[in-house]
Amino acid sequence: MGRSSSRAAAISAACAIVVASSMAIYLLGKRRRDQKRLDDADEPPVLLDDQVEQDDQRGPARRIQPLDIDECRVVGELLASAPENATCWICYGEGTAENPLVKDCSCRGIEGHSHMECMVHYARNKSEALMETHPGQDEEGHAEWFDDYLRPWTHCGGLCKQEFMGYVKLLMGKEFEKFTREINDEEAEAEDYDSVGREELERSTMVPIYEGQLVAVSQLLRRVRPNRYLITEGKEIASKLIEISTAGDENDDRAEEYIECELAFFTLAEIAEIEGDYEEAIKYWERVQRSKEIHPCSGLNETISKIDSLRAELEGNIDQADSAWTAPTDDVVEAARDEMLGYWAEEERHSVSAISSELEFSRVLTHAYRRIEAERVLARVLRVSRQYHGEEHSLTREAEALLRESRQRFVLVDDGAEEEELPLDTYQVTALDEGGNSYIAHGPVDDFDEWVEAEDDLGDGFSLPIGDVILPLGTPVVVTGMPGDGEHLNGKIGDVRKGHTDADKYNIKFEDQSLEDTDVEGRYLRVLFDIPEEWRQPNYEIE
């Protein structure tokens, strides 16, 4: 069954945004190869029992199958999140080591916890009851009916009514896949479908399900430390989507079917990078590129530069890998903004989908060297997520981590070594000294990830003269002490968009949109540590 061009464009645009969000692998030495640390040594978390005994209120037994043990793996932090006095909101039972309570929604405190089996049985009951009122594929009201049919699998049925997140979202998606297959088998038998009819039914129902699962995997790969279970699941789901869309031939580049696979290709490319298999990563990034060429949209240039960077790194040419990386273009930034505003138009601003879209937008802004706007977006997201979803919600923790990282300021210093020895050292600066002519610095930074984790133990630091530093791209700055024709720029803030030159000047993109991009000498620039809250960008309202 063919997919509409608008849906294909939406899939491709979403992948472009995620590509842009993943492309700052070379900034400040933070390379993707540092993420190769798979958590194989960790013991797998507790697995749930095959099935709890059902009672009369848990739906017809003919459709209840034991949960697959491999589909019940969840991170230890999730299993440990249930307070001792929490009970399952569905069966009122307590959690045990063999059958723990899990939660990844917006319910607060002891609310919202449940057994995984109970959530599946609850969703099955709700969906089966709605099947009696199915209006038909082409009849009025089908879209609203399907939203209600799907909701028990994607949203908490407890107090918060918000979307599931993380591993719960992934596991419920996989259970919905099993449920849908059962329904498909019944329909195919009742309607006496031939093999072609069965294949078309399978494809039309399973492709959206696999896409939803891959979105959950992609989110988890960026939000948690990659582990072997998550990587295995991502590979399996992506392979199933490719198989069902291309009849097993992933080199088949028929337009609609190939675009359908773009999210699968993207996921496999990401996983290959995490595993350090750059040849495999390049193969799948080239498939992403092919998809974007078939259906032109934003993100093509970024994908090409991604491939060039990986090829250079595979050949051991680190300098070329750095120079090949290209920041997201204005088109990609605006596509991300439109995606975010689209969620705002369709859903409440505090919904999980709306907040997730803002977090993606902040990533794109950061990688496009728009750090000031990114920090404002993150500050708003954190405030809203705390208010509506609570301190412990995964979105709140993600916003906190991104904002903390965004607020860190790093500078480069020439250590005088020979060129081939990479003479630039990285230091973190945390404030100006009392005279305003030096930074309080810490470092040098040898391992970026370890440095970020140990930020609370920086110590007193040392004085680093402003004239000795080189400002990286994206550094928020304020103009200070500029004389003559440039005096009107004093006090104006902006981001460094073009780097250090022989004349010791930086091109600054000012937040005041009445000002043109301007080259400013480094001696008149100071790193901006605290972003003023009073500024508002005209085309993006921040409450």
Side-chain angles (χ1 to χ4, degrees):
M1 183 181 297
R3 313 296 293 280
S4 68
S5 60
S6 61
R7 176 171 175 77
I11 294 172
S12 196
C15 287
I17 292 168
V18 181
V19 169
S21 297
S22 70
M23 289 191 65
I25 52 176
Y26 301 114
L27 291 176
L28 296 173
K30 188 178 182 182
R31 304 180 181 280
R32 175 69 73 178
R33 61 175 176 266
D34 294 332
Q35 298 180 0
K36 188 181 174 182
R37 301 167 296 174
L38 302 180
D39 206 4
D40 292 327
D42 289 350
E43 290 294 326
V46 175
L47 305 179
L48 307 182
D49 278 343
D50 284 347
Q51 182 180 1
V52 296
E53 291 193 17
Q54 55 178 318
D55 54 37
D56 293 337
Q57 313 206 344
R58 287 196 176 163
R62 62 187 176 84
R63 285 201 186 131
I64 295 199
Q65 300 179 356
L67 297 185
D68 189 325
I69 188 172
D70 289 333
E71 295 175 339
C72 294
R73 294 178 183 268
V74 286
V75 290
E77 291 81 2
L78 183 60
L79 295 177
S81 65
E84 290 185 2
N85 58 341
T87 58
C88 175
W89 70 268
I90 299 173
C91 74
Y92 304 112
E94 297 180 351
T96 65
E98 296 76 21
N99 192 17
L101 298 175
V102 297
K103 178 179 80 169
D104 205 350
C105 61
S106 302
C107 290
R108 308 289 185 93
I110 64 172
E111 303 294 337
H113 293 88
S114 63
H115 302 106
M116 195 69 206
E117 298 95 330
C118 290
M119 279 194 283
V120 172
H121 295 166
Y122 172 86
R124 283 175 173 266
N125 270 348
K126 289 288 186 180
S127 294
E128 285 177 340
L130 280 171
M131 288 175 62
E132 304 298 328
T133 63
H134 186 195
Q137 185 78 20
D138 300 320
E139 295 181 19
E140 184 179 355
H142 176 268
E144 292 78 5
W145 175 89
F146 186 76
D147 286 343
D148 292 338
Y149 175 81
L150 180 61
R151 180 166 289 271
W153 302 91
T154 59
H155 288 67
C156 172
L159 291 177
C160 75
K161 311 300 182 188
Q162 295 290 331
E163 287 182 57
F164 293 128
M165 295 291 295
Y167 285 90
V168 171
K169 179 178 181 177
L170 175 60
L171 298 182
M172 288 298 287
K174 292 178 71 63
E175 289 301 317
F176 182 60
E177 175 190 349
K178 292 164 58 177
F179 176 76
T180 302
R181 288 191 184 280
E182 295 168 14
I183 301 301
N184 285 352
D185 288 344
E186 292 182 5
E187 179 179 342
E189 185 175 347
E191 300 294 334
D192 195 22
Y193 287 162
D194 59 16
S195 59
V196 175
R198 285 177 177 269
E199 288 179 4
E200 190 158 312
L201 176 64
E202 173 88 354
R203 186 169 180 276
S204 64
T205 55
M206 287 298 139
V207 167
I209 290 175
Y210 293 146
E211 289 172 350
Q213 292 174 8
L214 286 180
V215 168
V217 169
S218 180
Q219 290 172 344
L220 282 164
L221 285 173
R222 294 194 304 279
R223 290 171 178 167
V224 303
R225 187 175 183 179
N227 56 69
R228 180 54 56 189
Y229 167 72
L230 184 57
I231 286 175
T232 302
E233 287 295 307
K235 288 180 177 179
E236 180 181 336
I237 298 165
S239 298
K240 288 192 290 188
L241 177 55
I242 294 171
E243 172 72 26
I244 199 171
S245 295
T246 65
D249 183 6
E250 64 181 54
N251 295 309
D252 180 359
D253 62 357
R254 289 172 297 170
E256 291 183 352
E257 289 78 5
Y258 207 73
I259 292 171
E260 212 167 58
C261 296
E262 185 172 321
L263 185 57
F265 295 148
F266 170 82
T267 302
L268 291 172
E270 285 261 280
I271 289 174
E273 283 190 58
I274 291 171
E275 292 183 312
D277 189 347
Y278 289 173
E279 290 184 356
E280 187 79 356
I282 290 170
K283 180 181 79 172
Y284 284 110
W285 280 122
E286 287 176 338
R287 283 166 169 70
V288 173
Q289 176 185 346
R290 175 59 180 151
S291 174
K292 293 184 181 299
E293 290 170 344
I294 293 173
H295 192 290
C297 72
S298 61
L300 176 59
N301 291 335
E302 288 76 10
T303 302
I304 293 173
S305 70
K306 178 84 163 179
I307 295 169
D308 291 342
S309 294
L310 287 173
R311 281 182 177 145
E313 183 140 351
L314 190 61
E315 296 169 358
N317 192 334
I318 303 301
D319 290 340
Q320 185 178 341
D322 286 347
S323 61
W325 185 84
T326 302
T329 63
D330 290 343
D331 287 342
V332 171
V333 173
E334 293 311 311
R337 192 192 305 276
D338 290 343
E339 180 88 0
M340 177 189 67
L341 295 177
Y343 279 107
W344 287 11
E346 297 175 2
E347 304 190 31
E348 294 176 317
R349 293 276 292 274
H350 62 264
S351 71
V352 167
S353 294
I355 290 179
S356 295
S357 71
E358 286 189 85
L359 291 175
E360 291 302 324
F361 182 49
S362 76
R363 287 187 174 94
V364 176
L365 287 170
T366 298
H367 302 155
Y369 308 131
R370 301 187 184 185
R371 291 276 296 281
I372 293 177
E373 185 179 357
E375 287 189 29
R376 286 202 175 97
V377 172
L378 288 169
R380 178 202 173 277
V381 170
L382 181 56
R383 184 169 63 249
V384 171
S385 189
R386 281 174 172 167
Q387 178 181 352
Y388 287 96
H389 303 290
E391 293 282 352
E392 298 304 316
H393 193 273
S394 56
L395 283 179
T396 303
R397 295 197 299 267
E398 182 180 359
E400 286 176 339
L402 288 174
L403 183 58
R404 181 171 58 252
E405 183 174 335
S406 181
R407 284 175 171 168
Q408 293 175 326
R409 304 288 186 255
F410 294 91
V411 297
L412 304 175
V413 176
D414 190 340
D415 65 3
E418 295 297 329
E419 185 68 25
E420 60 269 18
E421 296 182 17
L422 298 176
L424 298 182
D425 284 336
T426 301
Y427 293 85
Q428 182 176 358
V429 292
T430 52
L432 282 167
D433 65 9
E434 293 183 0
N437 295 315
S438 297
Y439 296 113
I440 298 175
H442 310 266
V445 179
D446 296 320
D447 185 296
F448 188 84
D449 287 344
E450 291 182 5
W451 184 272
V452 170
E453 294 174 1
E455 185 189 15
D456 293 337
D457 301 320
L458 290 180
D460 295 333
F462 63 93
S463 179
L464 180 62
I466 287 175
D468 291 348
V469 307
I470 299 173
L471 301 176
L473 299 183
T475 301
V477 294
V478 58
V479 180
T480 302
M482 195 167 180
D485 293 340
E487 189 173 1
H488 67 289
L489 297 177
N490 290 327
K492 300 296 184 180
I493 66 174
D495 300 300
V496 174
R497 295 296 173 85
K498 293 182 181 178
H500 186 270
T501 67
D502 292 339
D504 191 26
K505 288 185 177 181
Y506 301 86
N507 185 261
I508 308 302
K509 177 75 172 179
F510 289 103
E511 293 302 297
D512 184 341
Q513 296 184 359
S514 67
L515 298 173
E516 296 182 354
D517 296 2
T518 306
D519 289 338
V520 180
E521 290 185 45
R523 58 178 170 163
Y524 300 128
L525 296 174
R526 300 293 183 270
V527 173
L528 184 64
F529 294 98
D530 298 309
I531 306 298
E533 295 183 0
E534 67 274 8
W535 179 84
R536 298 289 184 269
Q537 180 175 337
N539 62 346
Y540 176 59
E541 176 187 356
I542 301 179
E543 295 180 348

